Amino acid sequence: MTTPPDVVRSAYAQLVVTDLAKARWFWADMLGFHIQYEDESRLCLRGTDELTHHSLVLRKGEIAALDHLAYRVRTSEDVDRAEHYFTALGRPVRRVPAGAGTPGVGDAVRVIDPLGFPVEFFHDIERAERLIQRYDLRRGAEIARLDHFNICTPDIPAAYAHYEALGFGCSETIEGDEHELYAAWMYRKQTVHDVAFTGGAGPRLHHVGVATHESHQVLRTADLFGSVRKEHHIERGPGRHGVSNAFYLYLRDPDGHRVEIYTSDYYTGDPDHEPYRWNVHDDRRRDFWGNAVIESWYKEASPVLDLDGRPVPVAEAVLDESAVQVGADGLGIVEPNKQDG
Ligand SMILES: O=S(=O)(O)c1ccc(O)c(O)c1
Ligand SMILES: [Fe+2]
């Protein structure tokens, strides 16, 4: 049995966008990502708190898709471990030497994981100038850092098993009455998640979660898009999540890629941290105030590419949370006696 790589955190996502100028407006001008590197085909972006080269790469291409997710591993030996681990699983594996892949990233390995996702594992990445207290450079949503990936996959238990084998802990789940798993949030860094699974056709990227420091920055993001008559980019929220307890807003970029502006979740770093389990019939699970989840949030997501840049075919979902009829709006039926509290 091979040893899995020691994953430190979700580190960056590389998205393919069809119009780099429009994407630059959305992600840099409106969300406030700092442009660390730019050429005619690619933007490398980072948040105000991030000390490495980037946490988001936008690459110009024909098909809007996820090029790859990337996890930072603790040592350069963990890149070798990742190569051996996924080779032993019989998965497609490709070594990407420093300079041959994403700008700023050193020696890496890219795989198609058992869930069908393109994933990179790297250790070396260029350090970047400390911008944490450069308030003069902040703008838009003042995005601080990447927080998590959310992926659509048809088999949530399989996703859970794969990431558990990689050493991820579980912070929260959504389960049916018979404990069938509808969704799960899993972590390596000591917050609610580095990766989460949304049931649905997959492999597809559901969203990239980016963190702000304050809920007023989440609210300001919605105001900014409304102010410039671009409110159609707002998909869901602002609101308070049940799962994670975070304050949130979901946006769609010009290509339809979903991003969540996310703040104020909680610490999960103790060795005996216990998962918090939500019942799929609890209509506070997705929005703590009971607001309906718009259908597009359950159904729409970005396709992913294989290691040669071809779209990966999707498999249909096993369970469909949005079909769980717990109320006319697809959310909770409050039993009469419960309405009295
Ligand atoms: O909608 S949920 O409360 O389940 C939720 C919790 C945390 C997230 O990051 C998210 O995208 C969605
Ligand atoms: Fe999220």
Side-chain angles (χ1 to χ4, degrees), residues 246-261:
F247 197 70
Y248 72 88
L249 172 73
Y250 290 93
L251 302 165
R252 307 293 290 272
D253 87 341
D255 279 296
H257 294 305
R258 183 180 289 108
V259 57
E260 179 185 20
I261 319 298

Side-chain angles (χ1 to χ4, degrees), residues 332-341:
I333 293 175
V334 179
E335 306 303 332
N337 58 348
K338 286 183 186 173
Q339 280 163 337
D340 306 332

